[in-house]
């Protein structure tokens, strides 16, 4: 079983819809990252969380440490949000990030 | 520069050739990571540097892979005697903080194709 599991693997939404991507992890962590990767492009850091909730524009990320679960929400989705969204965790002891497989999001106009 | 810079962006190598991939992190960033991303997969950890010290190389898949960061800034990932399974995008990331607890800044990646 992977240490970081994301769902869904693929998501197609209509423009304007509210989107949720989920991430569950099985190890102790010191931080959780949500990342965005456009086709052929580099990876951009969206959020780094160790507790609670963060908001940036139309993006909201939450984390529940006890349940080892995080969600990324996109409000009023737009075609330009189409990308791969990746959850990654920094293990509590150690330096390396462990990545989820990513969620491929397509927002149709 | 303003961001993490990687070169070359694209590299085609014949099987058995040696390749070198360069990462120029953001100036002053302490931590530098290399990841390997196969097509359709999430990135996999290769190695981690804190300044010039390579503190974790547990993700390097074989002794054909070697990374260095001699002056604590630019890093080079070298792959000797390339094999087809080495074909992937190699990503570099840097952060101001030690370990993976700071905001990560990624380069555009170097796409290696081994024929």
């Amino acid at each position: 079983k992977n240490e970081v599991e994301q769902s869904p693997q693929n998501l197609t939404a209509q423009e304007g819809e509210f989107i949720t991507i989920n991430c569950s992890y099985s190890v102790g962590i010191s931080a959780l990252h949500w990342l965005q990767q456009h086709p052929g492009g580099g990876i951009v850091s969206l959020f780094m969380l160790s507790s609670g909730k963060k908001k940036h524009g139309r993006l909201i990320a939450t984390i529940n440490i006890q349940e080892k679960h995080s969600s990324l929400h996109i409000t009023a989705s737009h075609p330009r949000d189409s990308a791969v969204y990746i959850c990654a965790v920094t293990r509590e002891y150690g330096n390396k990030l462990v990545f989820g497989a990513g969620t491929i999001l397509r927002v149709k106009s | 520069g303003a961001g993490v810079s990687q070169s070359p962006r694209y590299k085609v190598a014949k099987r058995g050739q040696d390749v070198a991939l360069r990462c120029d992190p953001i100036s002053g960033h302490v931590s530098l990571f290399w990841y390997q991303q196969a097509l359709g997969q999430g990135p996999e950890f290769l190695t981690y540097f804190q300044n010039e010290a390579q503190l974790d190389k547990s993700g390097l898949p074989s002794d054909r892979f070697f990374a260095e960061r001699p002056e604590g800034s630019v890093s080079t990932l070298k792959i000797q005697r390339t094999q087809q399974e080495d074909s992937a995008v190699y990503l570099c990331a840097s952060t101001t903080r030690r370990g993976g607890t700071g905001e990560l800044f990624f380069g555009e990646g170097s796409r290696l194709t081994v024929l």
Side-chain angles (χ1 to χ4, degrees):
Chain A
K1 189 178 186 295
N2 292 336
E3 292 179 350
V4 180
E5 298 274 359
Q6 282 186 241
S7 63
Q9 286 186 311
N10 291 278
L11 180 57
T12 299
Q14 208 61 38
E15 183 173 1
E17 283 185 355
F18 181 83
I19 288 164
T20 296
I21 299 171
N22 295 299
C23 175
S24 296
Y25 54 92
S26 56
V27 294
I29 68 169
S30 55
L32 182 142
H33 305 256
W34 280 104
L35 310 167
Q36 181 192 57
Q37 186 172 33
H38 283 279
I43 294 177
V44 173
S45 175
L46 298 175
F47 294 103
M48 186 185 67
L49 295 163
S50 54
S51 64
K53 176 179 173 179
K54 286 190 177 179
K55 184 175 189 294
H56 184 237
R58 295 180 294 106
L59 302 178
I60 302 166
T62 63
I63 187 168
N64 185 318
I65 297 293
Q66 286 73 29
E67 294 187 3
K68 291 187 163 63
H69 181 269
S70 176
S71 293
L72 176 69
H73 305 286
I74 305 175
T75 61
S77 58
H78 190 276
R80 65 175 174 266
D81 297 326
S82 299
V84 178
Y85 291 84
I86 302 171
C87 172
V89 301
T90 305
R91 287 200 192 125
E92 197 168 13
Y93 304 105
N95 303 301
K96 59 183 169 185
L97 283 177
V98 180
F99 289 78
T103 295
I104 301 171
L105 171 65
R106 181 176 169 225
V107 182
K108 297 193 289 188
S109 56
Chain B
V4 178
S5 176
Q6 290 188 247
S7 61
R9 288 290 315 277
Y10 303 93
K11 174 70 179 177
V12 178
K14 290 184 181 175
R15 190 158 53 101
Q17 273 187 330
D18 296 349
V19 300
L21 307 176
R22 176 188 167 109
C23 173
D24 207 332
I26 294 173
S27 178
H29 277 199
V30 168
S31 295
L32 184 147
F33 299 82
W34 282 100
Y35 296 93
Q36 180 190 58
Q37 186 173 24
L39 190 64
Q41 311 271 335
E44 297 276 348
F45 171 82
L46 292 176
T47 188
Y48 161 67
F49 288 88
Q50 183 177 304
N51 297 308
E52 70 279 2
Q54 189 176 21
L55 297 188
D56 190 339
K57 54 181 181 179
S58 62
L60 296 176
S62 77
D63 59 8
R64 295 186 295 103
F65 286 71
F66 172 77
E68 60 182 5
R69 193 186 185 199
E71 296 177 1
S73 55
V74 171
S75 177
T76 303
L77 176 67
K78 297 179 180 176
I79 308 173
Q80 296 177 323
R81 304 182 302 281
T82 52
Q83 304 292 316
Q84 284 189 320
E85 63 262 28
D86 300 335
S87 297
V89 175
Y90 291 86
L91 295 164
C92 175
S94 69
T95 176
T96 56
R97 297 180 61 174
R98 293 185 173 86
T101 57
E103 183 183 1
L104 291 163
F105 295 85
F106 285 82
E108 295 285 325
S110 291
R111 182 179 296 276
L112 172 64
T113 302
V114 181
L115 303 176

